[in-house]
Amino acid sequence: MRKIALPLLLSVGLAGCSMEPHYQRPEPPVPPSWPVGDAYLRQSEAALPSVTYRDIFRDPKLQAIIEEALANNRNLRIAAANIASTLAQYHVQRASLFPQVGAEANAGVAGAHQPATTTIVNTGTAGTGTGAGGTGGTGLTVVTRPGGFSTNQNYSVDLGVTSWELDLFGRVRSLSHSALDQYFATEAAARATRLTMVGQIATTYFQLAADNSLLAIAKATAANAQRAVTLTNARLVGGVSSRIDLREAQTILDQARSDVADQTTLVAQDRNALQLLVGAPIPDTLIPVSIESVDNLVSELPAGLNSTILLRRPDVVEAEYQLRAANARIGAARAAFFPTISLTGLLGLASSTLTGLFSANAFNFHAGANASVPIFDGGANRGNLAFARAQQELFLAQYEQTIQTAFREVSDALARRGTIQAQFAAQTDLVAHSQDAFNLSQERYRIGIEEFLNTLVIQRTLYNSEQSLIRTRLIRATNLADLYQTLGGDALIEAGAGQNQAPTPLTPPPPGSPTP
């Protein structure tokens, strides 16, 4: 028994070997710090956020909309289903590491028609006595057995292991590692979906607020233009103004009326887009009235300089786990060149009667091993290995491209952040000065010392400057939403710290899972 157990234990011990290439996180193909210069005066605000969306978006209405979306957004439900599917696939693959033990019980009866048989039986006996008084022995006897229907019964109980592969070269374990990394990648993709959804909701919410403000300005401008048309028409009737003054006044009114219709459409479309993101109807009480009421309810992000925080963005984490999975599949492809050894074993009881099934004489067993080694496969294994290596190069390039894209997105957001306050201040002054100029010009026209054309030019300037200020407010608000999203947002709360540390999944791996 010891002669059999020792090789078996050695084989199981060797099953921990792996032919996977040693994984080392690639160096990020981006500079270690963000760009600097006039456009990046506020670049120090690109930090690792240890905050939630509630800390960044402090508008209670926006927070309520985001909470509703977290419960109803269909993309999040799809992502959750993908996580569950990938986790189930990992469990299926991991089960190959363990022997599959099964029990089976059988009971059967067999019946057959037996034909009649005739046999000759030697029944001769020796004679007795001597001479004439002795008796002679008897000879052969013909025995006939009638035919009929006969039955045979059999019962068995078996417990066994069928074809358990000893993972001597780590093929099964590498496939299990790959499946686990795919699960982590899917989980990171779900976090990226959540982060993108929150950023899109904030951006759409701000856009809806800005369009409501533009609609209000268009309505106010139309009302002012209508008063100007009325006044100019009265002056035309009195012989003070010309018809061209009236037509110029009407152009401002027509433009404002057109803008009212356009902005009404945009407000409705913004609301439809926001409702799609939320996945449920949005009450009117949660709709923002204007951009002025919400753009100051967005907080700044904490400060920091290191660009390695991008390694913890969900899409970068997803790309790295895809790379890890491809690396593990190289180990499986390498192991396919080596022998495969499988064990089978069976313990059972068998008897022709149910009462004798559990007797000592009913016990039986079977044990065996099967070994196979590829000799000629037409280049299939070599092709699989080449494919696995090419896939690893593919996912490496995608990983590096994801980091470079993330770096560009953050840099763009920082460039915008570095100049937005100066632009906002200039636009605010422009509106104030345009409003004062329009008031003076309107009064001068009313008393007859200003040409109407000058008043119209100043009115157009005021209208355009008011629209530009609203768009600048929108840029300021959405820029913070962009920074929140490009830096990883509150998804980074779950991430571990340090460049050389493996990314941490949103939820812990299943019990007994190998460490990636």
Side-chain angles (χ1 to χ4, degrees), residues 285-318:
T285 54
L286 297 181
I287 298 300
V289 177
S290 65
I291 190 64
E292 294 83 0
S293 65
V294 302
D295 72 326
N296 287 322
L297 296 177
V298 186
S299 297
E300 298 284 351
L301 289 146
L305 287 175
N306 199 337
S307 66
T308 57
I309 65 172
L310 296 178
L311 297 179
R312 284 166 282 171
R313 248 179 53 154
D315 57 340
V316 175
V317 173
E318 178 190 4

Side-chain angles (χ1 to χ4, degrees), residues 474-498:
L474 175 62
I475 292 172
R476 186 172 68 171
T478 55
N479 176 247
L480 284 172
D482 290 341
L483 272 175
Y484 164 83
Q485 184 174 339
T486 56
L487 286 171
D490 53 321
L492 294 181
I493 295 176
E494 302 293 339

Side-chain angles (χ1 to χ4, degrees), residues 1 69 103 138 159 204 209 229 233 238 242 249 252 275 302 345 354 373 381 426 459 484 488 492:
M1 182 67 181
T138 59
L159 177 69
T204 306
V229 168
N233 187 60
S242 64
I252 296 290
Q275 185 165 299
L354 185 60
V373 59
N381 282 339
Q459 186 178 14
Y484 164 83
L492 294 181

Side-chain angles (χ1 to χ4, degrees), residues 407-431:
F407 185 87
R408 181 264 172 97
E409 290 174 351
V410 175
S411 298
D412 286 350
L414 290 176
R416 179 74 276 179
R417 197 70 196 156
T419 58
I420 189 61
Q421 285 304 115
Q423 181 178 346
F424 179 76
Q427 288 291 343
T428 303
D429 292 341
L430 177 60
V431 170

Side-chain angles (χ1 to χ4, degrees), residues 227-241 246:
R227 288 191 292 268
V229 168
T230 302
L231 175 61
T232 305
N233 187 60
R235 292 170 64 88
L236 175 63
V237 173
V240 180
S241 295
L246 177 62

Side-chain angles (χ1 to χ4, degrees), residues 309-475:
I309 65 172
L310 296 178
L311 297 179
R312 284 166 282 171
R313 248 179 53 154
D315 57 340
V316 175
V317 173
E318 178 190 4
E320 182 173 359
Y321 274 120
Q322 293 284 6
L323 176 59
R324 288 170 177 258
N327 194 70
R329 288 193 291 271
I330 292 179
R334 285 177 174 175
F337 286 88
F338 296 89
T340 300
I341 300 177
S342 301
L343 300 181
T344 58
L346 179 67
L347 299 175
L349 301 172
S351 175
S352 60
T353 63
L354 185 60
T355 56
L357 181 62
F358 297 100
S359 65
N361 294 331
F363 176 77
N364 63 83
F365 75 94
H366 169 76
N370 176 65
S372 63
V373 59
I375 297 176
F376 177 76
D377 60 4
N381 282 339
R382 191 175 300 276
N384 287 332
L385 179 58
F387 176 77
R389 286 173 172 165
Q391 287 288 293
Q392 194 267 352
E393 291 294 329
L394 168 66
F395 286 109
L396 173 60
Q398 289 180 346
Y399 170 71
E400 293 176 338
Q401 184 182 47
T402 302
I403 293 178
Q404 290 176 337
T405 301
F407 185 87
R408 181 264 172 97
E409 290 174 351
V410 175
S411 298
D412 286 350
L414 290 176
R416 179 74 276 179
R417 197 70 196 156
T419 58
I420 189 61
Q421 285 304 115
Q423 181 178 346
F424 179 76
Q427 288 291 343
T428 303
D429 292 341
L430 177 60
V431 170
H433 297 157
S434 298
Q435 183 66 60
D436 187 47
F438 175 69
N439 292 338
L440 293 174
S441 177
Q442 196 173 37
E443 181 62 23
R444 288 168 61 86
Y445 172 70
R446 190 183 64 81
I447 62 178
I449 62 174
E450 180 82 20
E451 292 184 3
F452 186 67
L453 180 59
N454 292 336
T455 302
L456 289 178
V457 171
I458 295 174
Q459 186 178 14
R460 288 192 181 98
T461 301
L462 173 61
Y463 186 34
N464 292 333
S465 65
E466 288 176 330
Q467 291 176 321
S468 297
L469 179 59
I470 289 175
R471 295 188 180 99
T472 304
R473 286 182 178 274
L474 175 62
I475 292 172

